[in-house]
Amino acid sequence: MKKNILISSAGKRVSLVKAFKKELKLYYPESLILTCDSNPELSAACTISDGCFKVPRLDDSTYIPELVDKCHENNIVLIIPTIDTELLLLSDNKALLSSNGIEVVISSNNIINTCRDKRLVHSFFKSNKVTVAQEYNKEELKFPLFIKPRDGSRSIDTFVIKTKDDLNDYHFSNDKFMFLEYIDHSQNDEYTCDTYYGIDNQLKAVVPRKRIEVRDGEVNKGKTDKNELVDYIKQHLNEINGARGCLTMQFFLNRITRRIVAIEINPRFGGGYPLSYLAGANFPGKIIQEYLLNESITYSESWEDNLLMLRYDDEIIIRNSNA
């Protein structure tokens, strides 16, 4: 029987699909990397996978039943989620999927709910003695400061406030806004750290990627950097109860003082993970070893330092399309 893997909500994750295709063929030459999307004919990743199918929108009550049916039809035994909005839904239905012979590489509900709320993430970091930006009481603000919503993403509704005069009624009208210590980009580098947690909730790999240029919230130019973040994460976050698979963590690192400030965690593959993969941090291989081969894996730092990634747009052309 084929052991096919599904990358859900595939969208533009072309590089991720290619990485999984390459690694799966090493172990199961006849198995396939399949993709699904609510609009697969407009998904670049769906065009380069071994096969794809359409699924309902995530807020449709038929999504999970149809997903189970499609997995059975296509011999899919493992699902790799890729976007924030599907994580809780898949985690809530993990037992149902498992009872149908379908495993999901996903963290626990508690981890996902914590990561969805930046204030809860701050509390989590603090409980593990990880430094975060100071949050101010609205009545005792210090300038400059940074405002962001506790449930935000893609830098939407974020503000750099340099003086009191930059504040307005809108900033105080939303109870979800967090008023935070401003971390100056002219003095601090921002890093995304691709971390992998095994089935045993233990850290197996960590790759800091310097964010040189970001577009629409995703790294466009980046470089791997074996710096003190590796040991810092090993020291403070070596075991996270409920953490499984790829967790993408963000930090600031001061260029002079080397102060580390944690920002957030996304419990899924980040858009910039292909750089870590090309550097040698083989998370797809680890997933196949753990979830398909039932092998134990150990911590590894065998990835290339100072590897620079420069991204560019490419085109996929489909003739006689009905999209």
Side-chain angles (χ1 to χ4, degrees), residues 1 8 20 49-50 54 58-59 65 67 72 87 89 135 162 173 181 183 192 207 225 232 240 243 261 289 319:
M1 177 182 171
S8 58
F20 269 96
S49 64
D50 293 319
K54 182 181 178 67
L58 292 166
D59 55 3
L67 181 64
H72 285 160
L87 295 179
L89 177 62
E135 183 172 3
K162 295 182 179 179
S173 65
E181 167 194 0
I183 308 297
T192 296
V207 185
D225 188 352
Y232 188 84
I240 301 177
V261 177
Q289 287 176 278
R319 289 187 168 83

Side-chain angles (χ1 to χ4, degrees), residues 32 112 122 216 284 291 313 316:
L32 306 173
I112 293 168
H122 276 209
D216 195 26
Y291 290 85
D313 292 329
I316 293 176

Side-chain angles (χ1 to χ4, degrees), residues 132 182 323:
V132 295
Y182 175 63

Side-chain angles (χ1 to χ4, degrees), residues 49-240:
S49 64
D50 293 319
C52 66
F53 53 84
K54 182 181 178 67
V55 289
R57 288 171 52 90
L58 292 166
D59 55 3
D60 191 312
S61 61
T62 65
Y63 178 84
I64 292 296
E66 289 203 27
L67 181 64
V68 170
D69 288 344
K70 288 292 186 181
C71 287
H72 285 160
E73 289 173 17
N74 292 280
N75 295 322
I76 292 166
V77 297
L78 192 63
I79 298 176
I80 312 296
T82 63
I83 62 173
D84 293 332
T85 49
E86 68 182 334
L87 295 179
L88 199 57
L89 177 62
L90 290 174
S91 182
D92 283 341
N93 288 278
K94 187 175 181 179
L96 171 64
L97 291 164
S98 183
S99 69
N100 280 275
I102 308 157
E103 296 302 320
V104 187
V105 183
I106 197 167
S107 294
S108 68
N109 279 41
N110 182 55
I111 293 292
I112 293 168
N113 279 314
T114 296
C115 294
R116 284 160 62 98
D117 187 322
K118 291 176 174 57
R119 189 166 282 135
L120 292 180
V121 170
H122 276 209
S123 296
F124 165 78
F125 280 135
K126 289 178 181 178
S127 69
N128 286 279
K129 296 181 171 55
V130 174
T131 303
V132 295
Q134 181 182 354
E135 183 172 3
Y136 300 130
N137 185 300
K138 292 180 183 180
E139 308 301 321
E140 300 176 354
L141 299 177
K142 296 180 181 179
F143 300 93
L145 59 82
F146 182 66
I147 297 176
K148 67 178 180 182
R150 62 188 296 179
D151 60 350
S153 64
R154 296 173 57 192
S155 300
I156 296 172
D157 251 355
T158 61
F159 308 90
V160 176
I161 306 297
K162 295 182 179 179
T163 69
K164 185 178 181 180
D165 293 336
D166 293 331
L167 292 168
N168 57 50
D169 291 342
Y170 178 69
H171 297 135
F172 293 98
S173 65
N174 191 336
D175 289 337
K176 292 183 177 181
F177 279 163
M178 299 171 67
F179 291 69
L180 300 165
E181 167 194 0
Y182 175 63
I183 308 297
D184 193 340
H185 282 261
S186 69
Q187 301 172 16
N188 296 266
D189 290 321
E190 188 174 356
Y191 285 87
T192 296
C193 294
D194 292 320
T195 66
Y196 184 86
Y197 285 82
I199 289 175
D200 59 2
N201 304 150
Q202 298 281 333
L203 182 69
K204 306 299 182 181
V206 51
V207 185
R209 294 185 280 107
K210 183 179 178 181
R211 293 162 68 92
I212 297 173
E213 182 180 290
V214 177
R215 182 174 67 176
D216 195 26
E218 190 170 295
V219 65
N220 203 39
K221 295 180 176 66
K223 187 181 76 168
T224 59
D225 188 352
K226 278 190 180 177
N227 57 33
E228 52 263 61
L229 280 165
V230 175
D231 287 336
Y232 188 84
I233 292 172
K234 285 169 62 178
Q235 178 184 351
H236 296 282
L237 301 168
N238 191 58
E239 180 178 5
I240 301 177

